[in-house]
Amino acid sequence: MRLIITEKDNAARRIAEILSEGSASASRQNGVNVYRWGNTRVVGLSGHVVGVDFPEEYNDWRDVEPVELIDADVTKEPTQENIVTTLKQLAREADEATIATDYDREGELIGKEAYELIREETDAPVDRVRFSSITEREVRDAFANPDDIDFDLAAAGEARQIIDLVWGAALTRFLSLSARQLGDDFISVGRVQSPTLKLIVDREREIQAFDPEDYWEIFADLQKNGSGFEAQYFYDDDGKEAERVWVEDDTDDAYADLTGVDAATVTSVRRRTRTDSPPTPFNTTAFISAASSLGYSAQQAMSIAEELYTTGYITYPRTDNTVYPDDLEEDALLDEFVGAGHFGEDAEKLLEQDDITATEGDEETTDHPPIHPTGEIPPKVDLSDDEWEIYELVVRRFFATVAEAATWEHLRVVADAGGRSLKANGKRLVEPGYHEVYPYSSASENHVPDVEEGEELAISEVRMEAKQTQPPRRYGQSRLIQTMEDKGLGTKSTRHNSIEKLYDRGYIEGDPPRPTTLAMAVVEAAEEFADHVVSDEMTARLEADMTAIANGEESLDTVADESREMLKRVFDELRDSREEIGEHLQESLKADKTLGPCPKCGEDMLVRRSRQGSYFVGCDGFPECRNTLPLPSTGEPQVLEDHCEEHDMHHVKMLAGRDTFVHGCPRCEAEKADESEDEVIGPCPECGVAPEEQRGDGDEAEGGELAIKHLRSGSRLVGCTRYPDCDYSLPLPRNGDISVTEAFCEEHDLPELVIDADSDDPWELGCPICNYEEYQARTAVEDLEDLSGIGSATAEKLGDAGVDSLAALREADPDIVATEVQGVSATQVREWQDELEA
């Protein structure tokens, strides 16, 4: 029997379909899909099915000094027991095996891990196939020309695993123990993660330290034959044209001169033509940047690209290459798109060109080609909207690289008005070239009419605009990845994951990413006491060492030992500063949770967590001061910069995935609830008064009633007036005025409610009991696909990782799931788990 092993299940299914010519069938073995036809079996892994870890005796953080981890043994243990078991069972029956994992450092390591598991069961020959797209031609060519496993490339991936484990675990434990921050709130440190975080923190410092300067700009609207265009005032500044005026008096003088005349005289006209070259092919970084302009995060873009790759529509999306291979026939690939409705017309026009020559970038590598379509074109209905948008981006980028250059005609006009100079720059697209097929590059024109020297133009309006210099912009995710690449931080395969980890750990928020108070504190502590932790030079050196392993120039053991020695020097710096580091981090963590002064004792009011896991606001003077304020039960609180002037207290946002909302000032919400009165709307269905004809002799007529209640946590509900003796309640929306109508529900003897949320279309909530019953039926979670954001494809990927039921999802470790399921973050998993518990 021949056994084929792929990196993921969807790749296994696709390869089985190609090699079997559609005859393969699927069966389940230990919960794992096995594809079979004739004497061949194909099984997909779930990325790494074994992981590196320390022996069990190192697990207790309190009993093991972090420095001990540096020289601790590193073991390999199965992380996907059912897949490992299935692979071994199949290996026992195999006469030969083929590794068909992705062709990169990580894929080679995953293939080596599979090879080692096979070797535990059999001495059957094992070969390796490599391909850059899962298309029929490439897959068949790869299997016709097998190769051997590249153990050097795999060793480079293994070195990264070991180094990241040792550095991350030792430093994470040291900082977390120093700050007394354990459990789910531990302080995470990573070899690539921490220098990347420093980039973000350094940029934030520049923004905070920026001191804006005032300046002014002056614009005039010029007219020719009823056609207007804008010109800008400029002056000579030591031989350079300057538009910004830094002295207000100078601005006033120039403005007065320009407004004192009715016309401007053209003194100079310059025309030129500029060639606008097409873009170069997509490598990973350029692709992420282009996808970012469409609103996709780096993680989202790569996840979608992975899906398109495994279904055979685009080439492998992890590549540094910007030069198409010699065997790519651009005209033949274009011909595949002729007749394809959405792209056919553009492909035909491109084929009509006299010469079809692709652009080239500066990077040429031999592993994978630039990202481009394979020529297997999916029907649009087979892809989600996001998948189609990314697919079209890749197709049109390929079109652009084989299109002709664009031609722009530029017109520069300079005029004199009252002794002051005005200029206008117009541009017109003469030959659209690649812009016709690639709408993602700017092709906006700026109209300036054709004028001649000496011509007079009427001035219709003069405007003076006061402005300020702006601080540097935060790194967007694509720009951050480009900067990481420039500094040698991480690889094309890991950079977007490093950014996602920073989000998951609560170090950054928003997009573009902004560092939290905790992030600033961690970077400050590292800079002061152990600069190597956040040094990009150290991380870049280790990346270079791992490349040397891949090239056979260094050994895994040598590089791992050198990294351990480097880490020992870091701990030498840290050892004597443990208390100072702990105090610094604790103060910063406290600042991140501080809302304002306690009105009773003056100490800080902090966001706290009860033993039951709920959040509230409590006084730092506890137990002497027991002042508390409630917070909503939904979500995780985040202290905002917004501030309540009345109570000197920061506002709070509750992070709850799609249901995230701003709670506001906790004292304001509590006082509003204290001042509100319950509005009775009818009998409680659990303990209320029964109709007279249903009461027996001696039955009391008294019972509970339902009332609209405003809670101090900011929530609203319909609840029984006999609470806590009767805890019957129904939720109500947080926002909008509630109106009780005269219409009644006959079934529940309750009035119908209307929610007016300042819109033209008030929400007719109806009977609160009927509404809640409908909501429960609508949102009932019976399987994975009932959860927000889980479609059939995501459910299948989760199932391949062993998360095949709601019970499995409840018990899953979000961080492990995120590493095993492409396109799913730890934050998403936690949101799904929260949704299950809601």
Side-chain angles (χ1 to χ4, degrees), residues 63-119:
D63 288 346
V64 178
E65 280 294 318
V67 71
E68 295 179 52
L69 297 176
I70 298 176
D71 290 320
D73 291 334
V74 173
T75 62
K76 286 188 177 182
E77 299 294 337
T79 56
Q80 298 279 334
E81 292 278 3
N82 61 329
I83 298 178
V84 170
T85 299
T86 303
L87 178 57
K88 287 186 172 185
Q89 289 172 346
L90 292 169
R92 290 181 205 128
E93 304 171 23
D95 302 312
E96 58 178 320
T98 298
I99 304 295
T101 49
D102 293 345
Y103 179 29
D104 59 9
R105 185 188 295 176
E106 209 67 22
E108 207 70 18
L109 175 57
I110 291 168
K112 182 195 171 214
E113 292 164 356
Y115 167 85
E116 290 171 342
L117 292 170
I118 293 169
R119 277 287 167 263

Coordinates of all heavy atoms in Angstrom, one line a residue, residues 63-119:
D63 N 7.5 26.2 41.4 CA 8.6 25.3 41.9 C 9.8 25.3 41.1 O 10.9 24.8 41.4 CB 8.1 23.9 42.0 CG 7.1 23.7 43.1 OD1 7.0 24.6 44.0 OD2 6.4 22.7 43.2
V64 N 9.8 25.9 39.9 CA 10.9 25.9 38.9 C 11.3 27.3 38.7 O 10.5 28.2 38.2 CB 10.5 25.2 37.6 CG1 11.7 25.2 36.7 CG2 10.1 23.8 37.9
E65 N 12.6 27.6 38.9 CA 13.1 28.9 38.6 C 13.2 29.1 37.1 O 13.7 28.2 36.4 CB 14.6 29.1 39.2 CG 14.6 29.5 40.7 CD 13.9 30.8 40.9 OE1 14.2 31.8 40.1 OE2 13.1 31.0 41.9
P66 N 12.8 30.2 36.5 CA 12.7 30.4 35.1 C 14.1 30.1 34.4 O 14.2 29.5 33.3 CB 12.3 31.8 34.9 CG 11.5 32.1 36.1 CD 12.1 31.3 37.2
V67 N 15.2 30.5 35.1 CA 16.5 30.3 34.5 C 16.8 28.8 34.3 O 17.6 28.4 33.4 CB 17.6 31.0 35.4 CG1 17.8 30.2 36.7 CG2 18.9 31.1 34.6
E68 N 16.2 27.9 35.0 CA 16.4 26.5 34.9 C 15.9 26.0 33.5 O 16.4 24.9 33.0 CB 15.7 25.7 36.0 CG 16.2 26.0 37.4 CD 15.4 25.2 38.4 OE1 15.3 23.9 38.3 OE2 14.9 25.8 39.4
L69 N 15.0 26.7 32.9 CA 14.5 26.2 31.6 C 15.5 26.3 30.5 O 15.4 25.6 29.5 CB 13.2 27.0 31.2 CG 12.0 26.9 32.2 CD1 10.9 27.9 31.7 CD2 11.5 25.5 32.2
I70 N 16.5 27.2 30.7 CA 17.5 27.4 29.6 C 18.2 26.1 29.2 O 18.4 25.8 28.1 CB 18.5 28.5 30.0 CG1 17.8 29.8 30.3 CG2 19.6 28.6 28.9 CD1 18.7 30.9 30.8
D71 N 18.6 25.3 30.2 CA 19.3 24.1 30.0 C 18.5 22.8 30.1 O 19.0 21.7 30.1 CB 20.5 24.0 30.9 CG 21.6 25.0 30.6 OD1 21.9 25.2 29.4 OD2 22.2 25.6 31.5
A72 N 17.2 23.0 30.3 CA 16.3 21.9 30.4 C 16.2 21.1 29.1 O 16.3 21.7 28.0 CB 14.9 22.3 30.8
D73 N 16.0 19.8 29.2 CA 15.7 19.0 28.0 C 14.5 19.5 27.3 O 13.5 19.9 27.9 CB 15.6 17.5 28.4 CG 16.9 16.9 28.9 OD1 18.0 17.4 28.5 OD2 16.9 15.9 29.7
V74 N 14.5 19.3 26.0 CA 13.3 19.6 25.2 C 12.8 18.3 24.6 O 13.5 17.6 24.0 CB 13.6 20.6 24.1 CG1 12.4 20.8 23.2 CG2 14.0 22.0 24.7
T75 N 11.5 18.0 24.9 CA 11.0 16.7 24.4 C 9.9 17.0 23.3 O 9.4 18.1 23.2 CB 10.3 15.9 25.6 OG1 9.2 16.7 26.1 CG2 11.3 15.7 26.7
K76 N 9.6 15.9 22.6 CA 8.5 16.0 21.6 C 7.4 15.1 22.0 O 7.6 13.9 22.3 CB 9.1 15.5 20.2 CG 10.0 16.5 19.5 CD 10.3 16.0 18.1 CE 11.2 17.1 17.4 NZ 11.4 16.6 16.0
E77 N 6.2 15.7 22.0 CA 5.0 15.0 22.4 C 3.9 15.2 21.4 O 3.8 16.2 20.8 CB 4.5 15.5 23.8 CG 5.5 15.3 24.9 CD 5.8 13.8 25.2 OE1 4.9 13.0 24.9 OE2 6.8 13.5 25.8
P78 N 3.1 14.2 21.1 CA 1.9 14.3 20.2 C 1.0 15.4 20.7 O 0.7 15.5 21.9 CB 1.3 13.0 20.2 CG 2.3 12.0 20.7 CD 3.2 12.8 21.7
T79 N 0.6 16.3 19.8 CA -0.5 17.3 20.1 C -1.8 16.9 19.5 O -2.8 17.5 19.9 CB 0.0 18.7 19.6 OG1 0.2 18.6 18.2 CG2 1.2 19.1 20.3
Q80 N -1.8 16.0 18.6 CA -3.0 15.5 17.9 C -3.0 14.0 18.0 O -2.6 13.3 17.0 CB -3.1 16.0 16.5 CG -3.1 17.5 16.3 CD -4.5 18.1 16.5 OE1 -5.5 17.4 16.3 NE2 -4.6 19.3 16.9
E81 N -3.4 13.5 19.1 CA -3.3 12.0 19.3 C -4.0 11.2 18.3 O -3.5 10.2 17.8 CB -3.9 11.7 20.7 CG -3.1 12.2 21.9 CD -1.9 11.4 22.3 OE1 -1.7 10.4 21.6 OE2 -1.2 11.7 23.3
N82 N -5.2 11.6 17.8 CA -5.9 10.8 16.9 C -5.3 10.8 15.5 O -5.3 9.8 14.8 CB -7.4 11.3 16.8 CG -7.5 12.7 16.3 OD1 -6.6 13.6 16.6 ND2 -8.6 13.1 15.6
I83 N -4.7 11.9 15.1 CA -4.0 11.9 13.8 C -2.7 11.1 13.9 O -2.4 10.3 13.0 CB -3.7 13.4 13.4 CG1 -5.0 14.2 13.2 CG2 -2.9 13.4 12.1 CD1 -4.8 15.6 12.9
V84 N -2.0 11.2 15.0 CA -0.7 10.4 15.2 C -1.1 9.0 15.1 O -0.4 8.2 14.5 CB 0.0 10.8 16.5 CG1 1.1 9.9 16.8 CG2 0.5 12.3 16.4
T85 N -2.1 8.6 15.9 CA -2.5 7.2 15.9 C -2.9 6.7 14.5 O -2.5 5.6 14.1 CB -3.7 7.0 16.8 OG1 -3.3 7.4 18.1 CG2 -4.2 5.5 16.8
T86 N -3.6 7.5 13.8 CA -4.1 7.1 12.4 C -2.9 6.9 11.5 O -2.8 6.0 10.7 CB -5.0 8.1 11.8 OG1 -6.2 8.2 12.7 CG2 -5.5 7.7 10.5
L87 N -1.9 7.9 11.6 CA -0.7 7.9 10.7 C 0.1 6.6 11.0 O 0.5 5.9 10.1 CB 0.1 9.1 10.9 CG 1.4 9.2 10.2 CD1 1.2 9.1 8.7 CD2 2.1 10.5 10.5
K88 N 0.2 6.3 12.3 CA 1.0 5.1 12.6 C 0.3 3.8 12.1 O 0.9 2.9 11.6 CB 1.2 5.0 14.1 CG 2.2 6.0 14.6 CD 2.5 5.8 16.1 CE 3.7 6.7 16.6 NZ 4.0 6.4 18.0
Q89 N -1.0 3.7 12.3 CA -1.8 2.6 11.8 C -1.6 2.4 10.3 O -1.4 1.3 9.8 CB -3.2 2.7 12.2 CG -3.5 2.6 13.7 CD -5.0 2.9 14.0 OE1 -5.7 3.5 13.2 NE2 -5.4 2.6 15.2
L90 N -1.7 3.5 9.6 CA -1.6 3.4 8.1 C -0.1 3.0 7.7 O 0.1 2.3 6.8 CB -2.0 4.7 7.5 CG -3.4 5.1 7.6 CD1 -3.7 6.5 7.1 CD2 -4.3 4.2 6.7
A91 N 0.8 3.6 8.5 CA 2.3 3.3 8.2 C 2.6 1.8 8.3 O 3.4 1.3 7.6 CB 3.1 4.1 9.1
R92 N 1.9 1.1 9.3 CA 2.2 -0.3 9.5 C 1.8 -1.1 8.2 O 2.4 -2.2 8.0 CB 1.4 -0.8 10.7 CG 1.9 -0.3 12.0 CD 1.1 -0.9 13.2 NE 1.2 0.0 14.3 CZ 0.2 0.5 15.0 NH1 -1.0 0.2 14.7 NH2 0.4 1.3 16.0
E93 N 0.8 -0.6 7.5 CA 0.4 -1.3 6.3 C 1.1 -0.9 5.0 O 0.9 -1.4 3.9 CB -1.1 -1.1 6.1 CG -2.0 -1.5 7.3 CD -3.4 -1.1 7.2 OE1 -3.9 -0.9 6.0 OE2 -4.1 -0.9 8.2
A94 N 1.9 0.2 5.1 CA 2.5 0.8 3.9 C 3.7 0.1 3.4 O 4.6 -0.3 4.2 CB 2.8 2.3 4.2
D95 N 3.8 0.0 2.1 CA 5.0 -0.5 1.5 C 5.9 0.7 1.1 O 7.1 0.5 0.9 CB 4.7 -1.3 0.2 CG 3.8 -2.5 0.5 OD1 4.1 -3.2 1.5 OD2 2.8 -2.7 -0.2
E96 N 5.3 1.8 0.9 CA 6.1 3.0 0.6 C 5.2 4.2 1.0 O 4.0 4.1 1.2 CB 6.3 3.1 -0.9 CG 5.1 3.1 -1.8 CD 5.3 3.3 -3.3 OE1 6.2 4.1 -3.6 OE2 4.7 2.6 -4.1
A97 N 5.9 5.3 1.3 CA 5.2 6.6 1.8 C 5.8 7.8 1.0 O 7.0 7.8 0.7 CB 5.4 6.7 3.3
T98 N 4.9 8.8 0.8 CA 5.3 10.0 0.2 C 4.9 11.2 1.1 O 3.7 11.3 1.4 CB 4.7 10.2 -1.2 OG1 5.1 9.1 -2.0 CG2 5.0 11.5 -1.8
I99 N 5.8 12.1 1.4 CA 5.5 13.3 2.1 C 5.2 14.4 1.1 O 6.0 14.7 0.2 CB 6.8 13.7 3.0 CG1 7.2 12.6 3.9 CG2 6.4 15.0 3.7 CD1 6.2 12.2 5.0
A100 N 4.0 15.0 1.3 CA 3.5 16.0 0.3 C 3.1 17.2 1.1 O 2.1 17.9 0.8 CB 2.4 15.5 -0.5
T101 N 3.8 17.6 2.1 CA 3.5 18.8 2.9 C 4.0 20.0 2.1 O 4.7 19.9 1.1 CB 4.2 18.8 4.3 OG1 5.6 18.4 4.1 CG2 3.6 17.7 5.1
D102 N 3.6 21.2 2.6 CA 4.0 22.5 1.9 C 5.5 22.6 1.8 O 6.2 22.1 2.7 CB 3.5 23.7 2.7 CG 2.0 23.8 2.7 OD1 1.3 23.1 1.9 OD2 1.4 24.5 3.6
Y103 N 5.9 23.2 0.7 CA 7.3 23.3 0.5 C 7.9 24.7 1.0 O 8.0 25.7 0.4 CB 7.6 23.2 -1.0 CG 9.1 23.3 -1.4 CD1 10.1 22.9 -0.5 CD2 9.5 23.9 -2.6 CE1 11.4 23.1 -0.8 CE2 10.8 24.0 -2.9 CZ 11.8 23.6 -2.0 OH 13.1 23.7 -2.3
D104 N 8.2 24.7 2.4 CA 8.9 25.8 3.0 C 9.5 25.2 4.3 O 9.4 24.0 4.5 CB 7.9 27.0 3.3 CG 6.8 26.6 4.2 OD1 6.7 25.5 4.7 OD2 5.9 27.5 4.3
R105 N 10.1 26.0 5.1 CA 10.8 25.6 6.3 C 9.8 24.8 7.2 O 10.1 23.7 7.7 CB 11.5 26.7 7.0 CG 12.3 26.3 8.2 CD 12.8 27.6 8.9 NE 13.7 28.4 8.1 CZ 14.1 29.6 8.6 NH1 13.8 30.1 9.7 NH2 14.9 30.3 7.8
E106 N 8.7 25.4 7.4 CA 7.7 24.8 8.3 C 7.1 23.6 7.8 O 7.0 22.5 8.5 CB 6.6 25.8 8.6 CG 5.9 25.7 10.0 CD 6.9 26.1 11.1 OE1 7.8 26.8 10.9 OE2 6.6 25.6 12.2
G107 N 6.8 23.6 6.5 CA 6.3 22.4 5.8 C 7.3 21.2 5.8 O 6.9 20.0 6.0
E108 N 8.6 21.6 5.7 CA 9.6 20.5 5.7 C 9.7 19.9 7.1 O 9.9 18.7 7.2 CB 10.9 21.1 5.2 CG 11.9 20.1 4.6 CD 11.4 19.7 3.2 OE1 10.6 20.3 2.6 OE2 11.9 18.6 2.8
L109 N 9.6 20.7 8.1 CA 9.6 20.2 9.5 C 8.4 19.3 9.7 O 8.6 18.2 10.3 CB 9.7 21.3 10.5 CG 9.6 20.9 12.0 CD1 10.8 20.0 12.3 CD2 9.7 22.2 12.8
I110 N 7.3 19.7 9.3 CA 6.1 18.9 9.5 C 6.2 17.6 8.8 O 5.9 16.5 9.3 CB 4.8 19.7 9.0 CG1 4.5 20.9 9.9 CG2 3.6 18.8 8.9 CD1 3.5 21.9 9.4
G111 N 6.8 17.6 7.6 CA 7.1 16.4 6.8 C 8.1 15.5 7.5 O 7.9 14.3 7.6
K112 N 9.1 16.1 8.1 CA 10.1 15.3 8.9 C 9.5 14.7 10.1 O 9.8 13.5 10.5 CB 11.3 16.2 9.3 CG 12.3 15.5 10.1 CD 13.3 16.4 10.8 CE 14.2 15.6 11.7 NZ 14.6 16.3 12.9
E113 N 8.5 15.4 10.8 CA 7.8 14.9 11.9 C 7.0 13.6 11.5 O 7.0 12.6 12.2 CB 6.9 15.9 12.6 CG 7.7 17.1 13.2 CD 6.8 18.3 13.5 OE1 5.6 18.3 13.1 OE2 7.4 19.2 14.1
A114 N 6.4 13.7 10.4 CA 5.6 12.6 9.8 C 6.5 11.4 9.5 O 6.3 10.3 9.8 CB 4.8 13.0 8.6
Y115 N 7.7 11.8 8.9 CA 8.7 10.7 8.6 C 9.1 10.0 9.8 O 9.2 8.7 9.8 CB 9.9 11.4 7.9 CG 11.1 10.6 7.8 CD1 11.3 9.7 6.7 CD2 12.2 10.7 8.7 CE1 12.4 8.9 6.6 CE2 13.3 9.9 8.6 CZ 13.4 9.0 7.6 OH 14.6 8.2 7.4
E116 N 9.4 10.7 10.9 CA 9.8 10.1 12.2 C 8.8 9.2 12.7 O 9.1 8.1 13.3 CB 10.3 11.1 13.2 CG 11.5 11.8 12.8 CD 11.9 13.1 13.6 OE1 11.0 13.5 14.3 OE2 13.0 13.5 13.6
L117 N 7.5 9.6 12.6 CA 6.4 8.7 13.1 C 6.3 7.5 12.3 O 6.0 6.4 12.8 CB 5.1 9.5 13.1 CG 5.0 10.7 14.1 CD1 3.7 11.5 13.8 CD2 4.9 10.2 15.5
I118 N 6.5 7.6 11.0 CA 6.4 6.5 10.1 C 7.6 5.5 10.4 O 7.4 4.3 10.5 CB 6.5 6.9 8.6 CG1 5.3 7.7 8.2 CG2 6.8 5.7 7.7 CD1 5.4 8.4 6.9
R119 N 8.8 6.1 10.7 CA 9.9 5.2 11.0 C 9.8 4.5 12.3 O 10.4 3.4 12.5 CB 11.2 6.1 11.1 CG 11.8 6.4 9.7 CD 12.5 5.2 9.2 NE 12.8 5.3 7.7 CZ 12.1 4.9 6.7 NH1 11.0 4.2 7.0 NH2 12.5 5.0 5.5

